Amino acid sequence: EATARFGPGIIVSSAFIVRRATAVSTKNRLVHNASGPGASSINAAITDDYKVQLDHSRVFQQRLRTQLQRAGAHQQLHLCVADISKAYRRFGMRHTDVPMLGLRCDAARRRSVPYFDGKLLRERAVHAGELLVYFDTRLPFGASSSVSSCVRVTCFVRDLVRELLQAHRSGTGDVCAYIDDFGAFGTLDAVQDGVRSLRDILTRIGCPENAAKLDTPSRTGTFLGLDYDLLALTVSLPAGKKAKYVNHLQSFLARAHTGPIRRSELQSIVGKLVHACGVFAVGTIFYQRLLANLRTHRRQKDITLRRPALDDIRWWLYLLQHTSGTVPLDPAPWKRESEHRIYTDASGWGWGCCYKGQWMQGPWPPAIRQQAYDQKTLSISDLELVALNIALETWGDALAGQRLNLRCDNSASVANVTAQASSIPRRAALLRRLFVIAAMHGIQIRSTYINTKRNEHADALSRNDLTRFFSLPQDYPLQRVRSPRLDAFGLLLDP
């Protein structure tokens, strides 16, 4: 029947249903197996040069900060989200593409089913085991071009609303789009105007908003699965999601030690970590090895992970277990070079750190001194990373949500912090500790090299030359830190 209707060249593939019991509206979603084997692979024949660029959480937060940086804007910023109802199903397929979207359906038992003969929709009796083929006329889930087809339209709608807000509200409001989700934010008046324009445009183009998710401008809201509080200026990973991520990582880690894991499950893990990076931005580097495994073993169903990749999962598990899931949303941009800087240094005697008049220093314990200078198993670069850890752990609470520039006169340590990685196990362990502490406090880190002559304060402290330290010019009243956090010492002896 299908061949008689469409002629030769039809493609029939299998399909499956994904059920989300917690979904607000569409609980059952039909997915085409468009990447099926051989000639039934629709995706293998699709070429699409459209570069999909979505306003994911990092982009959304960057634009949100722009609004927060406006004078007094943080006192009145509001958020409102909108979701197109059944977005893909609103977009019709080209008539010439319909023959490629055949769906095979085997009747499980004798019954009557809906049947469309091209003109009328009616009922048709089928027998158990009878094969039916249905052809989809809407954008299917599972086809690689469906995303770009939808995004072309939704990004255009987003840009229209941005232009209207710029024209009528002088940039006091903005909107972001992620496939079929929109988030409008700014002053209350701007958000109200933006959402009104957005809903009007969506209705006129036949993509109405999902009424079950209708939202109103508020100081709090959820966009792309993250909770925003624009009064407290925080972003949070919902507690329920955090608990599920912890459980999955624990189970995954236990099984990944004993043998290969399914590629599909690794994809799920990476997806969860990417989502969590919307809160813990410095964690991006700690799923790159997992992503590289997916790309390297594209055709393998089972993947064996090596220890560095498993260590990345441990990093994430530790972070999610030891944090509330809420970090400050700092509106300030990266400061000028002369501001927001922590100075650290390490020497043969010990370590030293200073930040805006606060200072601390101390000698290396005998066991560390022995390894560094008698056994030659520790380098000065290892010691410099310890000093960075001491500074961040000690001042982390006071620096929560800020963007810090760590100044160091050791180029190797600067390179390690910039890359967030090292091939040397001891340094890798110290970096993991440094960035997990930064993630817990929502701190973003940069490290830049400073000549020793310009790092005199920390240099004098690390050499226990307090006479020189107190004789140097000081921009802030001096205050000694009495209880520095020295937990990172342990990693020098047992990484």
Side-chain angles (χ1 to χ4, degrees), residues 42-50 94 144-145 148 152:
I42 305 298
N43 287 336
I46 292 176
T47 57
D48 189 353
D49 60 357
Y50 179 73
R94 293 186 305 177
S144 62
S145 60
S148 61
R152 278 178 167 92

Side-chain angles (χ1 to χ4, degrees), residues 267-316:
Q267 288 175 317
S268 175
I269 286 289
V270 171
K272 288 179 170 66
L273 300 185
V274 170
H275 180 240
C277 278
V279 176
F280 309 106
V282 298
T284 302
I285 194 71
F286 296 109
Y287 66 74
Q288 296 305 315
R289 288 187 183 90
L290 303 175
L291 197 57
N293 273 279
L294 288 174
R295 291 169 175 167
T296 304
H297 306 94
R298 290 180 184 274
R299 300 186 181 279
Q300 293 180 221
K301 291 185 178 179
D302 298 310
I303 300 174
T304 299
L305 297 178
R306 299 185 181 276
R307 177 162 184 172
L310 296 177
D311 284 343
D312 287 343
I313 296 176
R314 290 191 192 93
W315 186 93
W316 274 104

Side-chain angles (χ1 to χ4, degrees), residues 91-101 136-137 139:
F91 292 79
M93 290 296 301
R94 293 186 305 177
H95 180 72
T96 53
D97 291 339
V98 171
M100 295 189 296
L101 299 175
D136 207 339
T137 61
L139 282 184

Side-chain angles (χ1 to χ4, degrees), residues 54-74:
L54 302 172
D55 296 335
H56 45 75
S57 293
R58 181 171 56 84
V59 175
F60 174 76
Q61 290 172 18
Q62 286 174 345
R63 299 187 75 95
L64 186 60
R65 283 191 178 95
T66 300
Q67 293 296 322
L68 289 169
Q69 288 161 17
R70 296 181 180 276
H74 66 282

Side-chain angles (χ1 to χ4, degrees), residues 264-461:
S264 58
E265 187 177 11
L266 181 57
Q267 288 175 317
S268 175
I269 286 289
V270 171
K272 288 179 170 66
L273 300 185
V274 170
H275 180 240
C277 278
V279 176
F280 309 106
V282 298
T284 302
I285 194 71
F286 296 109
Y287 66 74
Q288 296 305 315
R289 288 187 183 90
L290 303 175
L291 197 57
N293 273 279
L294 288 174
R295 291 169 175 167
T296 304
H297 306 94
R298 290 180 184 274
R299 300 186 181 279
Q300 293 180 221
K301 291 185 178 179
D302 298 310
I303 300 174
T304 299
L305 297 178
R306 299 185 181 276
R307 177 162 184 172
L310 296 177
D311 284 343
D312 287 343
I313 296 176
R314 290 191 192 93
W315 186 93
W316 274 104
L317 182 58
Y318 183 90
L319 171 63
L320 294 176
Q321 286 177 321
H322 292 82
T323 181
S324 65
T326 299
V327 301
L329 187 66
D330 182 21
W334 281 101
K335 301 289 185 177
R336 298 194 316 271
E337 187 180 1
S338 61
E339 296 183 82
H340 261 164
R341 296 189 296 179
I342 292 177
Y343 294 87
T344 65
D345 193 43
S347 72
W349 177 82
W351 55 272
C353 309
C354 54
Y355 174 68
K356 290 187 175 180
Q358 298 183 62
W359 62 276
M360 53 188 175
Q361 49 119 228
W364 299 119
I368 292 176
R369 187 187 297 272
Q370 182 182 13
Q371 285 202 18
Y373 296 100
D374 297 339
Q375 301 177 13
K376 306 295 185 183
T377 56
L378 292 177
S379 71
I380 192 64
S381 297
D382 300 331
L383 302 179
E384 293 278 5
L385 286 176
V386 171
L388 291 177
N389 272 276
I390 293 171
L392 201 63
E393 290 186 57
T394 301
W395 292 315
D397 287 334
L399 299 171
Q402 296 185 21
R403 296 174 167 186
L404 302 180
N405 188 10
L406 301 176
R407 305 290 275 166
C408 180
D409 59 9
N410 183 278
S411 57
S413 297
V414 171
N416 288 151
V417 173
T418 300
Q420 294 184 240
S422 173
S423 59
I424 300 173
R426 181 175 286 105
R427 292 188 203 172
L430 288 165
L431 287 166
R432 290 179 191 280
R433 184 179 186 89
L434 180 73
F435 282 99
V436 82
I437 297 300
M440 286 179 176
H441 296 291
I443 298 171
Q444 296 185 50
I445 296 176
R446 284 181 180 174
S447 183
T448 51
Y449 176 78
I450 182 173
N451 189 281
T452 302
K453 294 181 179 179
R454 296 182 58 204
N455 195 29
E456 282 194 280
H457 294 76
D459 182 73
L461 289 172

